[in-house]
Amino acid sequence: MNGFPAPASRHQRTATLFPPDRPLRLEKGGTLSQVRVAYEEFGHPDPHRPNTVFVCHALTGNSHVTRHSPDDFPGWWEEMVGPGRPIDTNHLHVVCANVLGGCAGTTGPWTPGPTGRPLAADFPAITVGDMVTVHRRLLVHLGSTGLHAVVGGSLGGMQALEWLLRHPGDARRFLLIATGARLSADALAAHAAGRAAIRADPAFAAGRYPEHPDARGPVEGLGVARMIAHLTYMSPKSLETKFARRHQPLAPAADPACGPYAVERYLEHQARTFVTRFDANSYLHLTAAMDHYDAFARPRAPLPPEDRRPTVQVFSFASDRLFAATDTDHLMTHLSTLGLPLTHHRDITSEAGHDAFLLRVPGYLTAVAEAFASHDSPRPGPQPVSAR
């Protein structure tokens, strides 16, 4: 099988953080040192004012948010980030890093261990908080003097929320998109089924498949996991609109194990493309981190002085199954107790489901653009991100 990191943009850079004498102390126990972080920067920092936006990516994302030039390959959030887009790189400096535990350049299960072989099943359990700790240390490495905003959708929104609760003085504003403070039982069940499919694949080899370079790895199980997850990213209405009960042209003869329906072919395509770019062990670790996240289950950090307190903006979608209205209500109820300027934009126009946050949804994109176009009243800027 092919190893990781997955193919990356030529603009990707790496930083090595947490030296052996100051390792990353993981929330669930253990340490990691010499943590490699893959990141990309878009736009340019302004020496006169904090204009850096840190974008936190979702479960299977990476550092390549958008194109750096017209001849670059597309990023995963082209609708949101770039020249003239809501997060306008003509004026803003954007940083995005592959998360800890990922497979697109940052330390994760494919990172060599003491034996020189990938850590694989020996990679330690990580949390959303650990991801944020690494992001903040990267900003210190880059010499950041303060953040204009922290933005994220889905798992990225959980990272942005964690950042807000633990380090509220780092940024002027936090944008939490298509996310929640914790997963529902429905979402937990989907993740559990996907992980079970991976573990049931004989090629999983108890997570030690990277030790066998000629093995294919658990691509069948990982593909099924992707199919299950994809159903939580789309709404039932969007599936009906796109596929209904239509048959796929030139579908094979009827077979109980392989039906003729177009929706099946679509999910199979999602599985085939996904396993070429993502690692099963990373999938297990990152979904587990999402499952265990419960933002308001532990005390938050004290707020900074009133003149340095950030604004918080929440964006949700009525058609979202992964983070449904009850999840947003739970998030808003707890956020409203913080005493921070808080707004909520709920889109009711898109039937795309959870994936709407990545798509061209005019009202939502306009609302984000307005959030970035608004000018804060004169007040001190955010504090530089510290290594603490």
Side-chain angles (χ1 to χ4, degrees), residues 227 230-231 234 238-252 258-272:
M227 293 168 75
H230 204 72
L231 292 176
M234 299 182 70
S238 67
L239 285 168
E240 188 67 24
T241 299
K242 288 185 176 183
F243 304 108
R245 291 180 56 83
R246 289 190 292 276
H247 285 205
Q248 179 73 12
L250 304 178
C258 185
Y261 298 104
V263 68
E264 294 178 89
R265 301 290 85 76
Y266 171 74
L267 291 175
E268 289 162 0
H269 169 75
Q270 290 292 327
R272 284 194 303 272

Side-chain angles (χ1 to χ4, degrees), residues 297-317:
R298 58 190 176 120
R300 60 174 175 81
L303 292 176
E306 190 167 352
D307 62 352
R308 294 187 185 275
R309 291 181 183 177
T311 61
V312 183
Q313 286 139 321
V314 174
F315 298 82
S316 66
F317 299 87

Side-chain angles (χ1 to χ4, degrees), residues 42-44 66 81-85 87-94:
F42 308 81
H44 302 283
T66 192
V81 182
R85 300 295 168 88
I87 301 178
D88 190 346
T89 51
N90 287 327
H91 309 287
L92 296 168
H93 170 234
V94 173

Side-chain angles (χ1 to χ4, degrees), residues 299-365:
R300 60 174 175 81
L303 292 176
E306 190 167 352
D307 62 352
R308 294 187 185 275
R309 291 181 183 177
T311 61
V312 183
Q313 286 139 321
V314 174
F315 298 82
S316 66
F317 299 87
S319 62
D320 193 339
R321 176 180 174 183
L322 185 61
F323 292 103
T326 52
D327 302 304
T328 306
D329 290 345
H330 173 79
L331 174 63
M332 292 299 297
T333 296
H334 284 274
L335 286 175
S336 65
T337 68
L338 300 184
L340 297 172
L342 173 65
T343 58
H344 176 204
H345 175 85
R346 183 165 179 80
D347 178 82
I348 60 172
T349 67
S350 174
E351 64 178 42
H354 182 65
D355 273 354
F357 87 92
L358 298 170
L359 305 177
R360 186 183 295 274
V361 180
Y364 149 64
L365 293 174

